[in-house]
Amino acid sequence: MNSVEMHKKYMQEAIRLSRENIKNGGGPFGAVIVKNNKIIAKAANKVTKNNDPTAHAEVLAIRAASKKLNNFDLSGCTIYTSCEPCPMCLGAIYWARLDKIYFGNNKSDAKNIGFDDSFIYEEIEKPYHARKIKTIQLLPEEAEKAFHEWSVKEDKIKY
């Protein structure tokens, strides 16, 4: 099987998960994580099933892959997701250090069926005092102590 066929196979699995999830009462999102040409994790959106707004397919797949590999660093892995990742999932993908993202539907397609994340992209660009959700900095001098302790800690595990 050539590389194009392999990529299609993994994307088809992400799409299959998204479609199966609809039948099970969930949203139309699925994700697969691959390392060394093997699926190491897969998940479908469980927001409504788990009553967890962070239970997006990509986040759940990252959690499963990290657990399987016993590592928070997923370098060397690729994610296949049925839809372009939302801001939260994109952030999680970057934090997990995945090498590559393949996606099916794009964010405009998602917006057209009621999953519109454009307001989040807009909010991120605003200074915190101008955001829709009231955001107030509190006790920065006290909070800074933890950052200082971290910065001088010699045996820390960087992530």
Side-chain angles (χ1 to χ4, degrees), residues 40-41 61-74 96:
I40 60 164
I62 288 168
R63 290 174 184 166
S66 294
K67 185 173 184 178
K68 180 170 185 139
L69 297 177
N70 195 33
N71 199 331
F72 56 82
D73 185 340
L74 298 181

Side-chain angles (χ1 to χ4, degrees), residues 112-138:
N112 290 338
I113 64 162
F115 295 95
D116 184 6
D117 296 325
S118 58
F119 75 98
I120 298 173
Y121 290 106
E122 293 165 8
E123 287 288 299
I124 289 169
E125 294 295 320
K126 294 178 183 177
Y128 64 84
H129 63 273
R131 294 180 180 160
K132 183 178 178 181
I133 296 176
K134 193 169 191 156
T135 306
I136 302 125
Q137 187 173 21
L138 185 63

